[in-house]
Amino acid sequence: MRWSKTVTLVEAHAEGEVGRIVTGGVIDVPGATIADKLRHLNEVDDSLRRFLVFEPRASAQMSTCLIFPPTRPDADIAFIILQGDKAHAMSGSNSICLTTVLLETGMLPMVEPETIVRIETASGLVTARATCRNGKCERVTLTMNPSYADQLDAVVDVEGYGKVKVDIAYGGIFYALIDPAQLGLEIRPDQAKKLVEAGSAIHRAVNAQLTIAHPEIEAIKGISYTMFVSHNAAGELKGATIMPPGRIDRSPCGTGNSARLAVAAARGLAKPGDRFTARSIIDSTFEVTYASDTTVAGRPAVQPIISGRGWIHGIHQIGVDPTDPYQLGYSVSDTWGDAFDLMN
């Protein structure tokens, strides 16, 4: 066997959403800051992402995370999330996977009963507080990026669906939040395909019809995902994040619920101190807390705290034979979804 590239990953999931952490084989990505590295991956050289994310070395239902030494003095680690469409600035579920992997493998020292890990992302510093016992990282509580409502009740004209009302909000990345009832849909596993089709169509319309940009971070612009938002019979938050080119986040979604909290605050439906249970399409849970009021570039914003659990489930080493015709992998719509136009 001869490989021209070898990469080692530790695989974990946070409440059902798989996040693979690259622990060996990737030295660095060009860029002085994590935002610069994100821009390089998305705008200069996409080959590493494609190698790590696409088949046959990966599958649609997972993210792969690159870790780096921090570029700012108040951080312990830095990371970027690679997904089917592009590299992303921030993810709550992947931050939980990252923290769990770092502590349970000994890459960072575990301190019981609580270990603090300060994570540098392209969207700013995220602080993880890990509850630890008997060598296990039992729960990770994330102080997320300050989040704000960007546009409330925006209306977009969606091909095949007509006029659809969305809220645009920032939770570390941008979301279009949608009530599925206006489309006659519910957040249920048996409606996953219909949700993906509608969410992808709305994503296209938002990209074409709305201007969305972070006021301070140039690398963050446009929505990353659409997210259907509703409640279950118990009044708990229910959500389904649609990720290009066509899958649903298995976790309740940390950045998405941060964005949702900002919208609730803007509408007077949430206040500092409020705590919510958020459920995913598979009924897994995050706890969402409205910690305090803050601002982003002078805009009213909220400080969200997201709490969830992660589990390591494998160690994986991948490589590529120099004669392999699929050096950068491939994706097929039977499992990846067919919204390839939404990919970077």
Side-chain angles (χ1 to χ4, degrees):
M1 181 181 75
R2 179 194 169 201
W3 281 355
S4 58
K5 184 194 299 285
T6 304
V7 175
T8 303
L9 312 97
V10 177
E11 301 188 345
H13 76 87
E15 303 294 349
E17 179 68 9
V18 176
R20 309 192 304 171
I21 312 302
V22 174
T23 58
V26 177
I27 305 301
D28 201 2
V29 168
T33 68
I34 300 305
D36 291 339
K37 295 178 191 297
L38 179 72
R39 189 178 299 109
H40 178 88
L41 288 163
N42 283 333
E43 299 177 10
V44 179
D45 184 358
D46 195 35
S47 60
L48 177 60
R49 181 189 69 85
R50 297 177 67 87
F51 168 76
L52 291 170
V53 167
F54 288 146
E55 298 176 62
R57 297 165 195 91
S59 64
Q61 306 301 336
M62 59 178 57
S63 302
T64 300
C65 301
L66 300 176
I67 59 175
F68 307 99
T71 68
R72 49 189 287 174
D74 56 350
D76 302 304
I77 194 77
F79 89 139
I80 289 173
I81 305 95
L82 308 180
Q83 292 176 341
D85 58 335
K86 63 181 181 179
H88 289 270
M90 173 54 189
S91 164
S93 64
N94 282 288
S95 294
I96 292 170
C97 290
L98 171 69
T99 303
T100 302
V101 168
L102 291 173
L103 298 184
E104 291 193 9
T105 63
M107 293 181 71
L108 288 179
M110 178 184 289
V111 178
E112 299 183 11
E114 182 180 81
T115 308
I116 296 175
V117 180
R118 299 165 301 173
I119 304 168
E120 180 183 1
T121 76
S123 56
L125 190 71
V126 172
T127 300
R129 295 181 178 273
T131 302
C132 303
R133 182 172 58 177
N134 297 327
K136 167 65 183 169
C137 178
E138 295 184 329
R139 177 169 287 271
V140 178
T141 300
L142 302 168
T143 301
M144 301 286 283
N145 302 121
S147 304
Y148 68 91
D150 187 69
Q151 302 176 45
L152 298 180
D153 295 326
V155 177
V156 290
D157 195 1
V158 183
E159 183 176 357
Y161 297 89
K163 294 189 181 301
V164 178
K165 187 181 293 185
V166 302
D167 294 323
I168 306 299
Y170 176 78
I173 50 181
F174 280 107
Y175 283 80
L177 306 176
I178 312 140
D179 181 352
Q182 65 184 304
L183 303 173
L185 297 174
E186 297 180 18
I187 300 172
R188 306 194 317 244
D190 64 323
Q191 292 202 4
K193 186 175 181 180
K194 292 179 179 179
L195 290 167
V196 165
E197 290 171 349
S200 298
I202 295 167
H203 195 145
R204 293 185 189 98
V206 169
N207 279 349
Q209 299 168 38
L210 301 180
T211 300
I212 302 160
H214 194 281
E216 296 177 323
I217 306 172
E218 183 182 351
I220 301 178
K221 52 192 173 184
I223 63 167
S224 289
Y225 314 117
T226 54
M227 182 181 184
F228 289 101
V229 293
S230 63
H231 296 81
N232 63 14
E236 298 170 322
L237 305 181
K238 190 80 172 179
T241 295
I242 311 303
M243 309 169 74
R247 75 175 185 91
I248 292 181
D249 189 342
R250 271 53 174 159
S251 82
C253 191
T255 49
N257 275 296
S258 296
R260 185 176 185 179
L261 185 65
V263 167
R267 288 207 162 96
L269 300 176
K271 63 185 185 303
D274 284 350
R275 180 173 295 178
F276 305 90
T277 296
R279 291 191 178 270
S280 72
I281 197 166
I282 64 168
D283 224 28
S284 59
T285 63
F286 282 167
E287 296 301 318
V288 182
T289 301
Y290 186 166
S292 62
D293 291 318
T294 185
T295 60
V296 173
R299 301 171 184 239
V302 305
Q303 178 58 69
I305 293 177
I306 303 291
S307 179
R309 299 166 299 170
W311 294 269
I312 293 175
H313 57 85
I315 298 174
H316 193 186
Q317 189 171 69
I318 62 173
V320 60
D321 186 300
T323 66
D324 188 338
Y326 301 109
Q327 301 274 321
L328 300 183
Y330 48 83
S331 56
V332 183
S333 65
D334 60 338
T335 59
W336 286 85
D338 60 3
F340 290 110
D341 56 306
L342 296 179
M343 295 170 68
N344 195 38

